[in-house]
Amino acid sequence: MTIPFLELRDAYDELAGEIDIAVKRVTSSGWYIGGSECERFEKAWAHYCDADHCVGLGNGLEALALSLRVLGIGEGDEVIVPSNTYIASWLAVSMAGAIPVPVEPNPLTHVIEAEAIAPAITPRTRGIMPVHLYGHPCPMDEIVDLARSHNLAIVEDAAQAQGASIAGRKIGAHGDLVAWSFYPTKNLGALGDAGAVTTNRADLAERIRLLSNYGSRAKNVHEVKGFNSRLDPIQAAILGVKLAHLDEWNDRRRRIASVYSEQLADCGLILPHVPNWAEPVWHLYVVQARDRDRLASRLADAGVQTLVHYPTPPHLQDAYADMAKSPGSFPIAEQLAKTVLSIPIGPQLSLDQAEQVADAIKNSVQQ
Ligand SMILES: *Cc1c(COP(=O)(O)O)cnc(C)c1O
């Protein structure tokens, strides 16, 4: 038995006919930057997320960094980030010239909450970056209230949460700006790099579009020193095809997660907790095991591939050596880094395979 962690090729194969037609439409159009394919996907994605505006961008990191910039966040400003996120969230803050200020997550849901954010607010804090990690939504109502009362901006990192909702409302415009990555492994994934922001604020959407295209609205007129971060029309066409299948593919992930949550309930692992208002999309199914590395190697022996998201928290990476945070400064993130294990999940994994994964885990923890 070999069960891969995630097989992207299977996702392509399922939609190959539609995707190839969409790609051909772009390659034969003679139009390769921006244009109708991008506009169509932006409209569709904004509609899907219940947001008024969407701007397609080159990738998720730039979606985050440009969002901070258009909010006027830069040099010397502090932005609150989770201590346990993928490093891209922190790097976006650094790219904008600001300082990431980590706060610890709730270890059962893996996401940050208003209660932990409040004490980290200082006179230099300008923004909060909630990360809907593993597809679990942050409690945005409380975070929005907190941000309002301190006059802080919110940029959501929704790279792992396409389709997630909070009490029936889709992630897409709770904060000022919501940054998306369509990196190939995400729930809505392109066949290359792609990203976007969604927002209900027309002024911010317009600023992002301006900044992402050399600071230019009209040819040869450059209003600000902009960047180049554009959604590729080939990727936009592919994303349009895949968007029509997102809800069904997320449903398949939910069914796999139910198998895991039922089968693994009593085997001594800590399973992800889902609050009653949260509708996660299971980008990853992450368990916590005291003896994580031993469990991972037993599963590997049994033919089950697993991954660790993420083995080293950002504050202990060389990239953030300048923050001078020693081991022990963020104990929850550090503990999670030692115990988390992501088990196979994806729209092309069968329920049979999920049962096999669960059996292999039960056998491994009993040994
Ligand atoms: C994937 C990801 C990003 C970055 O997206 P890219 O498109 O690879 O730049 C940012 N934050 C999180 C949490 C991610 O998972």
Side-chain angles (χ1 to χ4, degrees):
M1 165 177 86
T2 304
I3 299 181
F5 180 76
L6 176 70
E7 195 52 80
L8 287 179
R9 176 62 202 252
D10 292 346
Y12 168 72
D13 283 344
E14 192 178 324
L15 304 178
E18 285 180 78
I19 288 175
D20 291 354
I21 289 169
V23 170
K24 182 81 170 95
R25 195 171 64 232
V26 183
T27 51
S28 62
S29 73
W31 192 276
Y32 306 118
I33 294 285
S36 59
E37 293 289 345
C38 292
E39 284 163 24
R40 182 147 42 143
F41 175 70
E42 285 170 346
K43 277 212 183 79
W45 186 238
H47 178 75
Y48 180 86
C49 303
D50 268 330
D52 292 342
H53 309 276
C54 172
V55 182
L57 298 167
N59 58 62
L61 175 66
E62 289 167 352
L64 288 164
L66 291 178
S67 294
L68 293 167
R69 277 193 187 257
V70 297
L71 289 162
I73 294 173
E75 216 60 52
D77 296 332
E78 293 179 355
V79 177
I80 289 171
V81 294
S83 57
N84 64 325
T85 183
Y86 180 55
I87 197 169
S89 322
W90 288 42
L91 289 175
V93 175
S94 301
M95 269 175 75
I99 303 157
V101 173
V103 305
E104 296 267 58
N106 174 334
L108 294 178
T109 60
H110 302 280
V111 299
I112 58 172
E113 299 174 345
E115 244 173 57
I117 296 169
I121 295 171
T122 75
R124 296 206 294 178
T125 308
R126 294 285 317 281
I128 303 172
M129 185 180 287
V131 180
H132 307 299
L133 200 67
Y134 309 149
H136 293 284
C138 297
M140 290 308 299
D141 293 348
E142 292 84 350
I143 294 174
V144 167
D145 283 349
L146 179 70
R148 282 219 185 97
S149 68
H150 292 268
N151 204 16
L152 305 176
I154 295 179
V155 174
E156 294 168 65
D157 180 341
Q160 302 187 357
Q162 290 95 354
S165 29
I166 295 173
R169 180 180 167 199
K170 283 256 163 58
I171 299 289
H174 290 81
D176 298 284
L177 288 155
V178 180
W180 303 94
S181 163
F182 304 115
Y183 182 83
T185 59
K186 311 297 191 195
N187 289 39
L188 179 60
L191 300 186
D193 276 310
V197 295
T198 51
T199 179
N200 280 348
R201 285 186 50 185
D203 58 326
L204 295 178
E206 208 181 310
R207 289 288 296 174
I208 294 253
R209 199 177 290 288
L210 183 69
L211 272 191
S212 68
N213 187 34
Y214 291 116
S216 173
R217 248 180 284 242
K219 204 169 177 62
N220 294 319
V221 182
H222 299 271
E223 303 168 36
V224 291
K225 297 187 188 76
F227 303 85
N228 173 1
S229 181
R230 296 181 292 227
L231 176 62
D232 176 341
I234 293 180
Q235 301 306 335
I238 293 168
L239 287 167
V241 169
K242 292 182 92 176
L243 177 53
H245 301 269
L246 178 61
D247 284 339
E248 194 212 321
W249 286 19
N250 279 341
D251 278 342
R252 294 188 204 166
R253 287 174 183 271
R254 271 184 204 113
R255 287 197 284 271
I256 294 163
S258 308
V259 168
Y260 290 155
S261 298
E262 278 162 33
Q263 298 290 326
L264 303 177
D266 303 309
C267 71
L269 301 174
I270 300 176
L271 304 182
H273 172 72
V274 180
N276 58 9
W277 47 264
E279 289 133 74
V281 285
W282 302 103
H283 174 60
L284 297 171
Y285 193 97
V286 176
V287 302
Q288 296 169 55
R290 229 172 302 120
D291 219 338
R292 189 263 317 276
D293 293 338
R294 199 172 60 171
L295 174 58
S297 84
R298 280 182 183 158
L299 288 173
D301 291 344
V304 175
Q305 194 191 0
T306 59
L307 292 175
V308 173
H309 300 89
Y310 300 93
T312 308
H315 71 279
L316 298 180
Q317 297 278 1
D318 287 347
Y320 283 99
D322 57 346
M323 272 183 47
K325 295 291 186 196
S326 50
S329 20
F330 297 99
I332 297 179
E334 291 168 32
Q335 171 76 5
L336 287 170
K338 288 192 191 106
T339 57
V340 289
L341 188 67
S342 308
I343 62 179
I345 194 164
Q348 282 74 36
L349 190 83
S350 70
L351 290 179
D352 247 18
Q353 287 176 307
E355 298 277 359
Q356 289 169 37
V357 171
D359 287 343
I361 292 174
K362 284 192 271 191
N363 286 334
S364 303
V365 293
Q366 273 159 17
Q367 271 173 41

